[in-house]
Amino acid sequence: MGLLQDLFRTHGPAYLDRFGAAMPKAHKTVIAAITDCHTEAAGSALYVCEGCGERHVVHRSCGNRHCPGGQQGKGHAWLERHRARQLPGEHFMLTFTVPEPLRPFLRRHQKIGYGALFAASSGAIKMLAADPRHIGGDVPGFFGVLHTWGRTLQYHPHIHYVVVGGALSSANGHWHPARPGFYLPVRALSRIVRATFRDQIDTHGLLGEIPAEVWATQWTVTCQAAGDGSTALQYLAPYVFKVAIGERRILSVDAHSVRFRYQKPHSTRVRTMTLPIMEFMRRFLQHVLPRGFMKVRYYGFLSPTSAVSLEDVKARIEMASGFAVAAAEAASEPPASLRCRHCGGALRFSRFVLPADSAIGWLASLGPRAGEAFPLSAVPAGP
């Protein structure tokens, strides 16, 4: 059992007693999921070693996207899928961050607020990309990932976009490349996203809940060149499946507090912070997304509904650049496969055992082979 799971098991009931009446249902679901993850309550899987024939029961993960125990291998699989779809040429990373006075509103209206932020920021990119003074193509290709936490679990909502450096013209199908090292002006993006977000919230009749200073503040937008895009993908892959804090950052948990490590932006110095148990749990749970909310979204020719195939886009980029474009980096190494702790042989999946069954009792009922016993915990992590 990890420290985070131990914390939720031990202190989750007290947290629910104290805040349960006012908590969103999604927060209660996450507490239950973390508590049950990799236990018999989450179900089990039977594996058989291809080397020595030993049978192993592995308790499954809960599968909840906010539980650190349920994300093994997902980030790597996502990264490899995107590497396979990667286009040649320069890429950029754009980041849109909301001002501090707006954050309480977003915390109260997450589904509406996050949706409006996606719509406003993606719309700003499309609008300026179509402007002939900048790129001049009305079909850019990019995807965005919502990220809501800072290093100390504070509420810090922002969206990272990875953008292919140019855009297609729907009028003639030509590729319009961005200038080397420059995609779009960030001040113009800031003004557009602020105005568009305001219009989006106005349609919901919620403008009165937002302080007036939000509309007089310049919203922070950054744009960084990202080479062939591999580094940007590598950076974002953990955030697609990462939760607010993982086991490796938690140093200790006692009856009253949690101590964890963190680094400030642009610093290599490792610092520590100690928070009361209830405050740590509150900070962790405030990053739980509304049920069904998509934190990764795709636009333009990277959208699954695009009428233009990626092969066509690739060909047009290569033709426009005289085929002098950078190739993507090689794929990274996949995670290690499950291995038998007795002989090191590969484990082959046999069957699932539902939570209603007794996984350990069911396996024991099979009876050991002559002279053998069944190890019930053979691998470091479940599927």
Side-chain angles (χ1 to χ4, degrees), residues 184-195:
L184 293 172
V186 295
R187 287 179 178 245
L189 286 170
S190 175
R191 290 193 295 270
I192 295 170
V193 72
R194 181 180 61 190

Side-chain angles (χ1 to χ4, degrees), residues 204-240:
H204 295 280
L206 297 172
L207 277 182
E209 294 190 29
I210 299 177
E213 63 183 296
V214 167
W215 315 120
T217 302
Q218 181 172 317
W219 291 28
T220 301
V221 181
T222 62
C223 181
Q224 298 173 291
D228 66 5
S230 296
T231 301
L233 287 174
Q234 192 81 42
Y235 172 80
L236 284 181
Y239 288 110
V240 175

